[in-house]
């Protein structure tokens, strides 16, 4: 059964690992699909951070759009997919990088990630997507 607008937006706002897909730009290649952290608040734009100049960021820039799927298997099988156009791509701020780490990691792990792991990457870009098309379903109800 499809989710209501409120249900799908609330589900997308939870910290799931997303599967991002973007056109590969080549007739002989499937779309690039990769796991990714993302941010979303109901009614707003979805955002991701990625390394500037990465294949993912280059393909998103070329396509001008991407899709993201999130799912869970408990307590019911549920998924949401969203597709839309890129509305901005700007250098990531320290606040965005901190917010993303804190969304997915416990406080101590987020602090360690920001101090020890993030500096091993190159400059990041924050890409914002305006949701335009949604698919969703919940395959059962909690009994």
């Amino acid at each position: 059964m499809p989710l209501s607008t409120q249900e799908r937006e609330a589900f997308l706002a939870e910290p799931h690992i997303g599967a991002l897909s973007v056109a590969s730009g080549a007739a002989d290649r499937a779309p690039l699909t990769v796991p990714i952290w993302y941010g979303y608040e109901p009614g707003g734009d979805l955002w991701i951070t990625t390394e500037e100049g990465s294949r993912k960021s280059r393909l998103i820039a070329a396509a001008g759009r991407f899709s993201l799927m999130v799912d869970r298997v408990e307590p019911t099988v549920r998924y949401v997919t969203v597709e839309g156009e890129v509305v901005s791509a700007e250098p990531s701020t320290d606040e965005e990088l901190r917010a993303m780490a804190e969304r997915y990691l416990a406080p101590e792990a987020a602090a360690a990630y920001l101090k020890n792991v993030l500096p091993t990457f190159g400059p990041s870009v924050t890409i914002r997507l305006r949701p335009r098309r949604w698919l969703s379903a919940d395959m059962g109800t909690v009994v």
Side-chain angles (χ1 to χ4, degrees):
M1 164 169 252
L3 303 175
S4 69
T5 300
Q6 182 179 2
E7 289 171 323
R8 73 184 185 206
E9 289 188 356
F11 184 73
L12 188 62
E14 296 171 2
H16 303 281
I17 302 299
L20 181 147
S21 289
V22 61
S24 68
D28 63 340
R29 294 200 57 184
L32 172 69
T33 302
V34 294
I36 195 160
W37 292 351
Y38 68 93
Y40 178 75
E41 291 185 22
D45 293 335
L46 180 139
W47 60 282
I48 63 165
T49 60
T50 189
E51 198 166 0
E52 188 178 307
S54 66
R55 180 170 183 241
K56 177 179 20 185
S57 66
R58 291 190 320 269
L59 291 174
I60 290 170
R65 61 189 328 97
F66 64 90
S67 60
L68 184 88
M69 187 278 301
V70 298
D71 67 341
R72 71 169 193 213
V73 294
E74 292 181 357
T76 61
V77 175
R78 177 178 278 199
Y79 75 88
V80 169
T81 65
V82 60
E83 182 221 334
E85 69 270 2
V86 172
V87 294
S88 69
E90 302 289 335
S92 298
T93 65
D94 290 342
E95 293 80 19
E96 289 167 332
L97 297 171
R98 183 173 18 279
M100 190 67 77
E102 291 173 350
R103 174 174 164 83
Y104 286 94
L105 302 171
E108 301 79 27
Y113 174 84
L114 292 166
K115 180 181 178 188
N116 302 317
V117 178
L118 194 60
T120 66
F121 297 115
S124 294
V125 60
T126 297
I127 302 169
R128 296 186 185 279
L129 172 127
R130 176 103 3 102
R132 294 291 185 212
R133 291 177 191 84
W134 298 77
L135 295 173
S136 66
D138 192 323
M139 308 301 186
T141 58
V142 179
V143 190

